[in-house]
Amino acid sequence: MFKPSHFAAVVLFALFASVVFGITQRETPKLMIRYGIYCFVLFTGSAVALSWVMFLIAR
Amino acid sequence: MATTGNTNGTAGLDSKQGSKQAAKQGVQEGFVYLPLIAGWLVPGAGHFLLRKWWRGALLATAIVGMFSMGIAMQGRVYGGASEILEILGLVGDLGNGLLYFVSRILGLGADQVQVTTADYGSHFIVVAGLLNVIAAVDAHNLRTGRKS
């Protein structure tokens, strides 16, 4: 059984979703790569930020 | 002599562009919804039909990879559904096309979520299905000329 950590699962999710979003939502290869990276950073960045918010609320 | 060479070069270029155009026209003929249906059944197949090899390969890798990891995490593959959340999960799973039906036939995945990673896995499988639907619609848009 594959047991990734929570963060590894977030990174994998963000990677796969960003690839599909980049290819389907933009027309040229350059824009696809830029949008894919943008989505990846937003996915992982927002997960880390929300984790910190929840950590601070729970304290 | 130089003029002849240029003419030959232009003719070669023209024939290459002509064959590309012919191939494109061949793709444009036929059933309009074929890339949509093929893309739903097999991830990336819609783009392969339209000769978008790299896009198709990347989409197939991402979607099949996500689905496989969901299965490897012992995620739940929804079968019969009675509650609203289960019905939504089933709709998402159905987006995987043949991957879903094959996994149901082979009995892959778990019937009940028992550990945290299995919960992640269930979501991976559902999201892979939704991403596959987006990819299939993208193939349809390419086919109809709405996107280049």
Side-chain angles (χ1 to χ4, degrees):
Chain A
M1 187 179 169
F2 178 49
K3 284 185 177 178
S5 66
H6 197 160
F7 184 69
V10 164
V11 170
L12 285 169
F13 183 97
L15 181 70
F16 293 135
S18 302
V19 168
V20 177
F21 282 179
I23 292 171
T24 56
Q25 304 301 311
R26 292 293 181 271
E27 298 216 351
T28 62
K30 194 179 173 184
L31 290 177
M32 286 175 185
I33 293 168
R34 279 180 60 178
Y35 189 66
I37 292 169
Y38 172 73
C39 287
F40 181 79
V41 170
L42 274 188
F43 270 127
T44 47
S46 55
V48 170
L50 283 171
S51 304
W52 274 106
V53 169
M54 286 187 279
F55 172 75
L56 293 171
I57 288 171
R59 282 184 75 181
Chain B
M1 289 295 265
T3 315
T4 317
N6 278 345
T7 312
N8 285 342
T10 315
L13 203 69
D14 282 349
S15 69
K16 203 174 180 182
Q17 279 181 340
S19 64
K20 257 188 178 179
Q21 197 73 21
K24 206 174 181 182
Q25 271 189 342
V27 166
Q28 294 300 323
E29 287 167 7
F31 187 45
V32 184
Y33 295 102
L34 185 62
L36 179 73
I37 295 167
W40 168 61
L41 286 173
V42 181
H47 287 78
F48 290 142
L49 278 177
L50 299 169
R51 296 168 196 277
K52 303 282 184 188
W53 306 112
W54 279 107
R55 291 189 203 184
L58 283 169
L59 288 171
T61 306
I63 292 162
V64 175
M66 197 167 197
F67 182 85
S68 310
M69 284 189 183
I71 293 289
M73 287 184 227
Q74 287 295 302
R76 182 177 176 191
V77 179
Y78 292 91
S82 51
E83 293 172 25
I84 183 71
L85 285 177
E86 287 185 352
I87 293 169
L88 291 173
L90 176 63
V91 169
D93 278 5
L94 280 169
N96 286 299
L98 287 180
L99 286 175
Y100 170 76
F101 297 112
V102 169
S103 65
R104 286 287 300 164
I105 290 165
L106 298 178
L108 300 175
D111 291 330
Q112 288 296 323
V113 171
Q114 288 173 340
V115 286
T116 317
T117 45
D119 194 34
Y120 301 160
S122 303
H123 293 116
F124 267 53
I125 294 167
V126 171
V127 174
L130 298 176
L131 291 175
N132 192 36
V133 171
I134 293 175
V137 170
D138 184 60
H140 179 65
N141 286 338
L142 287 167
R143 170 65 181 81
T144 55
R146 210 174 292 163
K147 189 186 171 193
S148 57

